[in-house]
Amino acid sequence: MSDSPLNTAVLHQVMTHLRDGDFRRCLEFGFKEDELVRLNQLSFSDITELTRMPVRFVKISINHDLLGKALGRLQEEGARAQLIQRAIQLGASIEMLNRFFGITSEEVSARRRLLGITIKTGRPKMPEVEELHQIWTRWQSLITKTGAKPEHADANSLDSLDVMMMLAEETGKPLAVIWKLIHEWQADVKQILERSSRGKPKSPRKSPSPASRAETAR
């Protein structure tokens, strides 16, 4: 007689839980208490004979809702891990990674080591004036495509992060530098809008001032 792989697998797991005294886990399989008592009294040869019986007393039940949620969560976690890796490779700072993903400096350091990334000490070189014009213009164009207005876009949103990573890839500048520039430019625009709302309109500069206080991209 041929055994049922499903019967064998479940019985093996249940007998393991019984030996460990984990009665609750056995009940979760759907067994009744009296059935577990009888199974616990069987010898090894009895269990072997039981698994060889052609009767398939075990069946699979799929909770499609829970499975769908689990698969969805797995996909989200995979996408998040890829996003973090991409940000690190593009030169995101510890401050930036903590703001977007809540990961600690220790975790950032560990991820960098795994990726073989070494961070140079000192402040990163800032873009030249012409480069600032190009980055600012490109930022306005790309962020508008997301449906946000450049002057109101949240520089700490994932949509903005995606745009900033594109800018980092296009310009070759560290992502941390791009992030700092966007924050400073938006601060300039906010001041201009506030002055305008108080009846003191002022035309915005053709391009915002370069970041003068960029932090070290660790």
Side-chain angles (χ1 to χ4, degrees), residues 3 48 55 80 83 90 100 112 131 137 150 163 174:
D3 61 346
T48 302
V55 179
R80 179 178 180 273
L83 193 61
L90 289 174
F100 280 96
R112 284 173 175 170
E131 290 180 304
T137 302
V163 171

Side-chain angles (χ1 to χ4, degrees), residues 156-218:
N156 294 323
S157 70
L158 290 180
D159 284 340
S160 293
L161 175 62
D162 186 56
V163 171
M164 288 185 284
M165 288 196 291
M166 292 176 61
L167 286 172
E169 290 172 336
E170 291 178 3
T171 63
K173 300 301 178 183
L175 184 56
V177 170
I178 300 294
W179 186 52
K180 289 297 181 183
L181 287 174
I182 300 302
H183 270 282
E184 291 193 356
W185 291 340
Q186 288 191 325
D188 287 345
V189 172
K190 183 178 180 181
Q191 289 181 358
I192 293 172
L193 292 176
E194 288 177 348
R195 289 169 183 163
S196 177
S197 65
R198 292 197 298 265
K200 298 179 180 180
K202 179 180 178 180
S203 300
R205 291 170 286 184
K206 292 184 178 180
S207 67
S209 60
S212 59
R213 299 183 301 278
E215 296 183 4
T216 300
R218 292 176 285 174

